[in-house]
Amino acid sequence: MMITGSGIHALPAYIYERFYAYMKTLAQQKKRTGLFFISPTVLVLILVVLIPLIFSFIISFFNYTLVDPSFDRFIFFKNYSTIFQDAYLWNSLKITLIFVFTVVPLEFVLGFFIALLLNRDIRFKGLFYTILTIPMVMSPVAVGLIWKMFLHADLGIVNYIFSVLNLPSVNWLGSNKIALLTIILIDIWHQISFMILILLAGLKSLPKEPFESAKIDGASNTQSFFYITLGLMRPVISVAVLIRVIFSFKTYDLVYIMTRGGPGVSTELISYFIYKKTFMGMDFSQATAISYVLFAIIMIIVIFLFREMSGRKWD
Amino acid sequence: MYKKILIIFIVLAVIISMGIAGSGCKSAATTGQADTTAKDTAAGGKSDVTLHMLMEDIPATHAVKALLPEFTAATGINVEFEIVQYMDMHQKLVTNFMSPTGQYDVIEVDNYWAGEFPATGWIIPLDDYIKKDNFDISVYIPSMMDMVGYFPRTGDNKQIYMLPIYSYSMGLLYREDLLNDTALQEAYKSLYNEDLKVPENLEEYVQQCRFMQENAGVSGSAMQAGRGDPIVMEWSNYLFALGGDYYDENWNATINDEKAIKAVELYKENIQYGSPEGALSFALDDALRIMSQGKAYSMISYIIMLPLLTDPEQSTVAESTKMIPMPGEMGLAGGWGWAIAANSQYKDESWEFIKWVESAEIAKKRALDDSTPARIDVCKDADVIAKYPIYPTMLEVISQSKPIPEFLYSAEMVEIVGRELSLICSGEKTAKEGLDLAAKELDELAVKAKLK
């Protein structure tokens, strides 16, 4: 059907026909039912996620600031070229990559190890679960404030314990050589529960038959772990690692509470850098430009990880 | 038939989901309507008007909060405080100002933002209200009016955008017992051939801090050199003590001149030889804990810390802690002002509140409840001095201090200077390298703010 100017009143009928035709081509009833159920969610997501994303992308090409929130000046890629000339942005990107690619592997290895321990028949399992869940339910702000007190170089309990053990005190947050490591350790303490619980749920759901067959065939525990457990756990590992990668890139609260990016610029993660641009520099345009650079980096890494981990090569 | 029903369901789902997504807008519109209704009612009896304010979580706020029932009884206007930490305030306020109808009516303005909020038009001039009610502004400490009253500070077009709430100017807090210790006095004399006395200039103070750290078993200075506003606030005292400044009168950055470089070198020296180990990560509360536990000789801090440090229940060195203006030319001034949001629905009612809270009677009640006064008459009131003998000292500190430059990008200026100072003090840049870059960026800010 052709839509012409005079036939504009036929538009609803046209949409109906096209939609009906599309529905007709759906081979399975399953698909139609699925579409029916997800349609409200998809529409809400379009309204509350996609539209703001498009709006902020448009802002990144204008000189749109909190002082002058207007679309009067279209400046093409100037915001992007300006931010790439900022040496402190490159530093933030470097610090963020170090942070993400230290935190996530360590959380995964430690988390998997603890999940394997908890997957055995041990006593007080409920108690361990409770203890492990506590950090996860705490807000990052509370975590930052608590650890800031614990790690106070002069009055903190950690350095007090060190002194009792005749160990030298550590300048946890006041040294530009140690502060990032401190933030990494606290983030691991806070987020490892998530990794443990997801991996543990995956381990619990593994079928028993492959392990029994392997045992009959004479496979050792190590061989079972590397050839069966890891293989079967790949989808769960993919999800856990991807979620943590995405959330690690967005870490902001710990830095805001504990160091404000300092000493110097040693803990200035990219999310905190964006916050400063927005609320101190009052420059929405540059802040959104940096956000889209971050978005692109995360997407590239996520796609790469997804392809590597979710089956294409492994299958 | 089945397909038609399915399509109808999908269309309905679309409509419902759009309704859900739009509910935020709808509720906002409804709120707006409710506000308008309330305002109309307020013209008669004001009984439905509620003023909302974002307040910092400090004793001065709680002093006002305790008196709010008196205001409601007198005017019929309700007041709701949203009390938060300082670091959350700017972000919440700026977001609020971006909305056509704001959530907050009366605004508590830090002197950091006293250039930004009027320049952007986010708060309104109070001149008409002051004139209409003949409100006496001569009772305020003049430096307070300059800082959190007028915008711009000088010139023919200056207007009153704020009325001062209280001051948090900075001065030197020190331990008199250590200064009067005979053994320490002798050791100091033999080492420097000078008397150990209240320091008269910055160099002498830094020298004393190093001496105390090496000889008195305490840190020389409980410094707050954490990145951001802590390090900038503290270092500004060093800069002003030596007669330096951020800009000259034509808004050319002077933050890399000889005085500023010397101020940075002395500051770095004090961090290295006269401060606790973690000073480069300390904010006010970290430094305060060290001072109040008697683990430091001195602290450059806010006058509002004096009541706390001289309270035996909160400080182990309450008896011996004294305060003087910053040794040298000037210290850093700080303070808060009341203002009315341009996007408030209740501007007249907001002025009613400001007029009430800044009246002599209420200001005195607040002062008697741990809130540092900004009015001279309250500072000199016999009842107030009887309860707080330290107020005359505070008045002296306030009069010998000046604020950081107030303009549209003050907050960004603090961030830039804080970053470079932190880099210098952690050894990643020399004083000249850091300050040269800071000066370049400060010049760019002045241009961006159309000041030159």
Side-chain angles (χ1 to χ4, degrees), chain B residues 90-111:
Chain B
H90 185 258
Q91 181 182 337
K92 274 179 171 278
L93 287 172
V94 169
T95 313
N96 170 72
F97 291 139
M98 301 305 290
S99 162
T101 51
Q103 185 185 348
Y104 307 119
D105 303 290
V106 178
I107 306 294
E108 210 185 15
V109 184
D110 185 17
N111 76 293

Side-chain angles (χ1 to χ4, degrees), chain B residues 58-205:
Chain B
I58 53 163
T61 293
H62 295 282
V64 179
K65 193 180 176 189
L67 297 168
L68 289 178
E70 289 185 30
F71 175 67
T72 304
T75 61
I77 301 169
N78 300 304
V79 178
E80 273 183 20
F81 277 7
E82 184 183 334
I83 299 174
V84 298
Q85 296 296 317
Y86 173 80
M87 60 188 177
D88 296 327
M89 290 186 74
H90 185 258
Q91 181 182 337
K92 274 179 171 278
L93 287 172
V94 169
T95 313
N96 170 72
F97 291 139
M98 301 305 290
S99 162
T101 51
Q103 185 185 348
Y104 307 119
D105 303 290
V106 178
I107 306 294
E108 210 185 15
V109 184
D110 185 17
N111 76 293
Y112 263 32
W113 320 320
E116 176 187 342
F117 291 1
T120 45
W122 290 337
I123 56 176
I124 59 166
L126 304 177
D127 300 75
D128 290 343
Y129 286 117
I130 288 168
K131 201 173 168 186
K132 186 187 75 178
D133 287 332
N134 210 14
F135 190 88
D136 185 10
I137 58 163
S138 68
V139 294
Y140 288 106
I141 301 165
S143 62
M144 287 292 292
M145 274 304 288
D146 284 344
M147 182 171 59
V148 279
Y150 297 109
F151 181 81
R153 276 186 201 160
T154 54
D156 297 335
N157 58 342
K158 75 174 185 181
Q159 287 178 290
I160 299 172
Y161 277 86
M162 296 150 281
L163 286 182
I165 307 173
Y166 70 89
S167 163
Y168 63 84
S169 295
M170 295 179 86
L172 175 63
L173 291 145
Y174 66 95
R175 295 255 309 271
E176 200 174 41
D177 59 329
L178 292 176
L179 214 52
N180 293 338
D181 185 282
T182 320
L184 287 173
Q185 283 181 337
E186 284 171 10
Y188 191 81
K189 181 85 175 175
S190 66
L191 199 59
Y192 298 108
N193 201 24
E194 290 172 20
D195 291 331
L196 184 61
K197 59 180 186 347
V198 176
E200 290 171 5
N201 56 57
L202 189 61
E203 292 88 340
E204 188 182 0
Y205 170 64

Side-chain angles (χ1 to χ4, degrees), chain B residues 285-305:
Chain B
D285 53 340
D286 303 302
L288 186 65
R289 263 181 271 156
I290 287 186
M291 187 68 187
S292 64
Q293 292 188 24
K295 293 181 183 296
Y297 155 63
S298 68
M299 180 184 185
I300 292 171
S301 195
Y302 308 100
I303 53 174
I304 50 175
M305 295 299 121

Side-chain angles (χ1 to χ4, degrees), chain A residues 139-145 183 187 190-191 247 250-261 269 271-272 275, chain B residues 87:
Chain A
S139 81
V141 173
V143 170
L145 289 171
I183 298 283
D187 191 75
H190 186 210
Q191 302 290 349
F247 280 91
K250 297 197 294 185
T251 302
Y252 157 80
D253 320 62
L254 280 181
V255 171
Y256 181 73
I257 295 294
M258 300 187 78
T259 63
R260 298 288 178 108
L269 297 181
S271 296
Y272 183 67
Y275 159 80
Chain B
M87 60 188 177

Side-chain angles (χ1 to χ4, degrees), chain A residues 23 36 43 47 66 88 148 152 154 169 171 173-174 176 256 260-261 263-264 268 275-276 279-282, chain B residues 9 14 21 87 90-91 94 116 227 276-278 281-282 286 408 412 415 419-420 422-423 426 428-429:
Chain A
M23 293 299 289
F36 169 71
L43 279 156
L47 286 168
L66 288 175
Y88 291 118
K148 199 177 175 207
H152 192 292
D154 299 81
S169 70
N171 194 358
L173 297 166
N176 57 347
Y256 181 73
R260 298 288 178 108
E268 192 167 70
Y275 159 80
K276 283 191 314 166
F279 290 104
M280 290 173 189
M282 295 191 286
Chain B
F9 265 111
V14 169
M87 60 188 177
H90 185 258
Q91 181 182 337
V94 169
E116 176 187 342
R227 189 180 150 180
E277 191 181 11
S281 66
F282 284 0
D286 303 302
L408 187 53
E412 192 173 3
E415 180 52 38
R419 181 194 69 210
E420 293 306 315
S422 190
L423 283 164
S426 56
E428 291 181 56
K429 282 188 178 184

